[in-house]
Amino acid sequence: MPTPAVSARESEVLALLGEHLSNAEIAARLFISVRTVESHISSLLRKLEAPDRRALSRRALSERAAEASRAESAPEASEASEAPAAPALPAPLTAFVGRVREREELAGLVKAHRQVTAAGPGGVGKTRLALAVAAEVADDFADGVWFVDLSPVTDPARVGAAVAAAMGVGEQPGRGVDAAVVASLADRQALLVLDNCEQVRDGVAPFLERLLVACPRLKVLATSRARLMVPFERVHQVPPLSWADGGESDAVTLFMERASAAGAAPDPALRDRIAAVCERLDGMALAIELAAARWPTLGLDGLTAGLSDQLRVLAGGFRAEDRHRSVRAALDWSHDLLEPQDRVLLRRISVFAMPFTVEDAVAVAAFAPLEPAAVADGLGRLAEQSLLAAAPSVTRHARPSATGMRYRALETIRQYGTERLADAIELTDVRSRHVAWCLSGASELAGGGADADGSGGGVGGGDVDGDGADARARFDALADDLRAALAWAAAQPDRQESAHRLALSLAGLAFSRNLLGEAQQRFEQAAALADNSVGLADTSIALAGTSVGLADTSIGLADTSVGSVGSVGPGALAAATALREAAAVAGCRRLGEDMFRLHRAAAQAARRAGDTAGAGRDLAAAATNAYRFSATFTRLPGTDEVAAVLAEARELIGTGGGGSDSHGDLVGAAAMALAEAAVTADAYGAVQGDADNTAQDTVGYAERAVELARRTGDPVAESAALDALSGARSWAGDSFGAAAAARRRIDILTSAPGAHTRAHARASAPASTLARTHERIDALAMAAGNALGVGDLPQALRWSRQLADHPLLAEAGHHAMSWLLISEALAGHTDAVLTGSVRFLDAWEQSGRQRSFVLGPAAAAVAMVHGLRGDRDARASWLAIADRAGPVLDHRHGYGAVFDAMVLLHDGDPEAALERVAPEPDEVWKWVCWVWLHWYVALRAEASVLVGHPDARGRIDAARRIVTGNPVATAQLDRAEALLDGGHVTRDARQ
């Protein structure tokens, strides 16, 4: 039978598998979704009859080797088809000239040392030299070369995020983006090129130290105006282009090439005189290129005259720095050739960190003496003189615009323009206008967002027709400007309120963009800025409906208005609000310690504001989360510490019991009731839980929490209380009651209105949509698990698929896929399990092989499927993964016993199956009472029948009392009873 044809796109995916890229990295490289990559991999596994992903990687490598062999046998064809550079490297638009000796030296250093810095002044040509060398040595790095431009980065803490974005690596739950980069590169033989490190050296140095220690086969080539000043650095000083050989020098060759490209090739007879010009430009590549661009209009005499004036002025000037002298000379000369209005425009547009349009430039730069009408013409002239790069704008359908243009200044010119702004005493005015422009852009992105239930009109009041990809692209185009504006405003004592608003805007937009680490960072920054601001009274902290087209990730901070607070501290109240939002994002990131810390910090801020009731609620939330989300902590707070937090919350909230007419008192009582259920009664079955009360006592605590939360009208509070009730009912053996409570969570979170009344908002500060998003993710997971527990496979599949498709879990495929793998396995959907397991395993390995209560069952479910298919090796591999991914005792006594018994019964070994589920349910109650109880007792009864156990009928009857209403378990017991009544338990019947 012929091998099915592999499509062109599948061939591309296969080739990238050979580079050992993750699904997310392949998706970024090919501009397709992660789910599409998974589909292609599944198709390749089937078409090529490969057992797993590693086999595909090996096949790709063998095909690459075969192609190389064919190329050697046909060198002419090979030379014609060979790509000039590694795919991950930018393709320069102009030819690289000269520097043969420097290329050899730098390439030798890269081969011999782990971290090399190409250092030199701005404009000397560091980036082009690094790119040329990276292309030359690319074949020495089996896993490729990545290029990262750090010039837009203004925050040293964002270096790792910039590297992650360039590599297509997303952060993982429970770990930051820096750790995700380390995990991705840990076993790679790769070269990382970091360009323009100088403005974030304080972030680059520690990041590289951690990276190189953890990634033994990684090498780094950095470019920077200054050394990184770390002991493991090997510095290569990039010299100016040589003019020593006169007309045949590298400097003159570059000038001749660039002047020819500008449309007027110089007479070769002038090469020696041009060498004199290059000498006076100090051989700086940028200066030479700028001079060459003016050749068609000024000629040699004009260049010589203009350059002479500039060098004479700057040679003795106190402003000049040695490392900037030649670049500044060239830029000063080019700047002074401009018309006065163009000089104004050039310095004012230097505040833009990203490409900008004419309209953007008008908003920031068009004030006296510059008229709005002069901006478009001025931008065109600057582009003609190579002071700006111009490219067509991209429409919302990712096509070049026929009319619009976007402009971008080189980084050295941006820095030069900033200096000119300061000289003109315009820096504060222009930066302030840029801040206002950023706030307007953020507001436009936030407008028309999704409602709380995930519906809504998209961005800008439906301006993008619900095109989420367009909205994400618009955020990416604005984000670096937001960050730069925030960095400036945060450093100005009189701009703290604007900085606070920027931080909130960036936090909400980053959350919608799935940049959860930055979202949390910006909310915490907003809190710090609020504490420093004196202008937040009567200011509503509202980023209503922020969305970029991602269902269930809209950010709604309406209803968290600080309102008029009179004599209390408005800044502290705003800080408390921002810290609560940060805690909600930490929850989405599965960072338990951060949730605990941030709720306690919010309580401190609330107390500073005089809001003791709010402080009590925050402390109650901290205590609740320490038990409710105990599995997300790497280091749990001590029980005494949590008890102290709970006692302080109780003191601040009081013991009103919810009977007061005050809505604020009711919300406080509800928060306290939930904390009591979590900590005192251990309703959530926490890792550290050790409650002495009976199961019914636990149910009573939870029921009281639900009733009070329902009366508050806050769906998030009610869902959290229902989660406690579901856990308590599971512990009490009421599986159907637990499932009903879990199902109710989904209902109220889906149908809840997007906002509460403003009066309630001021009194209770109900949870924002960030908290609702976190709550919904948890509710989907718990509802899927409880549905499995009562045999409701259709609902389990429905909710687990919603969880798998949730945008916030796009980069966390192991958590996204866990319940779906279990549900598909128990539903008998073998192909779906095998396909989904690829995403699960890839994400789990990328995460650093995390351990969680739900990851182990998912791996064990995949192992069961392989066992039912008779693939013993694959089953053994996945059982080993299950041991590493989940709690050992849960595997031994809970889900592992269930899945192993299923395989053993299928294999016709009921004796071994019965041994696996031999303990009485009460003996393993802690591990089976939630999802696995019905499956456990039904399998135990069936295995007892098949082995002829004397108490087989008693076990069937006992199981029926537990599972009545569960269609799957009931059918299993019916089959077992029929076998028992028939009296013919043959080997065939056992199978």
Side-chain angles (χ1 to χ4, degrees), residues 716-773:
V716 173
E718 186 177 355
S719 173
L722 284 166
D723 191 24
L725 180 59
S726 179
R729 286 175 173 172
S730 290
W731 187 251
D734 182 7
S735 300
F736 294 100
R743 185 167 57 249
R744 173 64 181 155
R745 295 179 67 194
I746 299 292
D747 293 341
I748 63 171
L749 291 171
T750 301
S751 61
H756 299 276
T757 66
R758 185 163 298 278
H760 281 189
R762 289 176 177 168
S764 63
S768 73
T769 308
L770 281 80
R772 188 176 304 176
T773 299

Side-chain angles (χ1 to χ4, degrees), residues 27 33-40 801 804-805 817 820 839:
S33 70
V34 173
R35 297 299 294 272
T36 301
V37 173
E38 294 168 359
S39 176
H40 286 316
R801 284 169 182 156
D805 292 335
M817 292 298 297
L820 184 56
R839 179 186 177 193

Side-chain angles (χ1 to χ4, degrees), residues 536-906:
L536 287 177
D538 297 314
T539 299
S540 174
I541 304 172
L543 193 58
T546 299
S547 172
V548 287
L550 299 176
D552 272 337
T553 58
S554 58
I555 315 301
L557 303 189
D559 290 348
T560 54
S561 168
V562 300
S564 179
V565 295
S567 62
V568 300
L573 197 57
T577 300
L579 288 166
R580 292 170 190 136
E581 301 298 350
V585 180
C588 294
R589 300 177 68 200
R590 297 180 59 83
L591 297 176
E593 286 95 332
D594 279 5
M595 276 193 291
F596 189 68
R597 169 181 61 84
L598 289 165
H599 275 300
R600 296 183 74 178
Q604 292 177 354
R607 295 188 78 164
R608 290 197 303 274
D611 181 11
T612 55
R617 292 192 296 269
D618 289 320
L619 291 174
T624 298
N625 289 339
Y627 276 67
R628 184 184 180 196
F629 299 112
S630 59
T632 68
F633 284 73
T634 55
R635 180 183 176 276
L636 284 166
T639 55
D640 290 343
E641 181 182 2
V642 177
V645 170
L646 184 61
E648 186 178 359
R650 187 182 297 111
E651 179 182 350
L652 292 172
I653 291 173
T655 56
S660 170
D661 291 335
S662 166
H663 187 77
D665 289 345
L666 179 61
V667 172
M672 197 64 225
L674 182 60
E676 296 280 9
V679 179
T680 304
D682 190 26
Y684 295 110
V687 172
Q688 72 274 39
D690 187 24
D692 294 328
N693 52 287
T694 68
Q696 287 307 314
D697 287 338
T698 304
V699 171
Y701 272 99
E703 287 177 339
R704 179 172 181 273
V706 170
E707 173 57 23
L708 290 173
R710 183 192 61 76
R711 289 167 56 191
T712 68
D714 183 348
V716 173
E718 186 177 355
S719 173
L722 284 166
D723 191 24
L725 180 59
S726 179
R729 286 175 173 172
S730 290
W731 187 251
D734 182 7
S735 300
F736 294 100
R743 185 167 57 249
R744 173 64 181 155
R745 295 179 67 194
I746 299 292
D747 293 341
I748 63 171
L749 291 171
T750 301
S751 61
H756 299 276
T757 66
R758 185 163 298 278
H760 281 189
R762 289 176 177 168
S764 63
S768 73
T769 308
L770 281 80
R772 188 176 304 176
T773 299
H774 177 216
E775 190 68 26
R776 180 167 172 78
I777 291 173
D778 182 74
L780 286 170
M782 297 301 99
N786 278 284
L788 285 174
V790 296
D792 190 351
L793 294 180
Q795 283 284 46
L797 287 166
R798 174 191 174 196
W799 287 323
S800 59
R801 284 169 182 156
Q802 290 181 30
L803 188 67
D805 292 335
H806 200 289
L808 286 187
L809 298 179
E811 295 291 343
H814 50 319
H815 286 288
M817 292 298 297
S818 290
W819 284 113
L820 184 56
L821 287 174
I822 299 167
S823 301
E824 299 278 20
L826 292 174
H829 301 164
T830 301
D831 290 342
V833 173
L834 297 181
T835 300
S837 67
V838 175
R839 179 186 177 193
F840 174 93
L841 182 58
D842 181 61
W844 180 67
E845 290 179 338
Q846 288 285 327
S847 74
R849 300 186 175 186
Q850 294 178 327
R851 187 183 293 271
S852 171
F853 77 95
V854 72
L855 300 179
V862 178
M864 180 193 72
V865 168
H866 282 297
L868 297 177
R869 297 174 72 242
D871 191 337
R872 295 178 180 273
D873 291 341
R875 171 170 162 75
S877 295
W878 278 93
L879 284 175
I881 293 170
D883 282 336
R884 293 194 299 270
V888 173
L889 292 178
D890 287 41
H891 189 193
R892 183 179 304 162
H893 301 303
Y895 60 82
V898 169
F899 290 136
D900 288 350
M902 287 182 176
V903 174
L904 292 166
L905 287 176
H906 176 80

Side-chain angles (χ1 to χ4, degrees), residues 305-499:
L307 188 57
S308 295
D309 290 341
Q310 289 300 315
L311 290 176
R312 187 165 53 249
V313 170
L314 290 176
F318 292 103
R319 291 174 51 205
E321 298 175 16
D322 289 342
R323 63 176 184 158
H324 290 161
R325 183 182 298 272
S326 58
V327 174
R328 183 176 286 123
L331 291 174
D332 276 340
W333 160 78
S334 183
H335 172 267
D336 283 351
L337 290 177
L338 299 174
E339 294 294 328
Q341 284 196 329
D342 291 347
R343 297 178 195 172
V344 174
L345 181 59
L346 179 64
R347 67 177 180 252
R348 290 180 179 177
I349 54 88
S350 69
V351 296
F352 288 106
M354 296 293 288
F356 55 91
T357 65
V358 171
E359 292 77 11
D360 301 332
V362 167
V364 172
F367 61 97
L370 192 62
E371 295 294 329
V375 170
D377 189 40
L379 291 174
R381 286 193 297 273
L382 293 175
E384 289 171 3
Q385 295 175 51
S386 300
L387 291 169
L388 290 180
S393 296
V394 176
T395 69
R396 66 185 178 197
H397 302 296
R399 292 192 294 267
S401 168
T403 56
M405 299 292 291
R406 297 186 75 84
Y407 299 88
R408 183 177 186 272
L410 297 175
E411 179 63 18
T412 51
I413 296 175
R414 284 187 61 233
Q415 294 179 4
Y416 176 84
T418 301
E419 292 180 358
R420 285 285 176 170
L421 273 178
D423 292 343
I425 318 179
E426 288 185 342
L427 184 61
T428 298
D429 288 343
V430 176
R431 285 288 187 190
S432 297
R433 292 173 71 94
H434 182 246
V435 166
W437 173 80
C438 286
L439 284 168
S440 176
S443 177
E444 181 184 351
L445 277 178
D451 296 329
D453 62 355
S455 63
V459 176
D463 181 57
V464 296
D465 300 324
D467 188 345
D470 174 78
R472 289 190 289 270
R474 290 172 60 197
F475 167 77
D476 292 344
L478 180 64
D480 281 328
D481 275 294
L482 290 175
R483 293 166 183 140
L486 174 56
W488 177 81
Q492 311 304 310
D494 59 344
R495 294 290 189 276
Q496 297 297 286
E497 182 180 353
S498 294

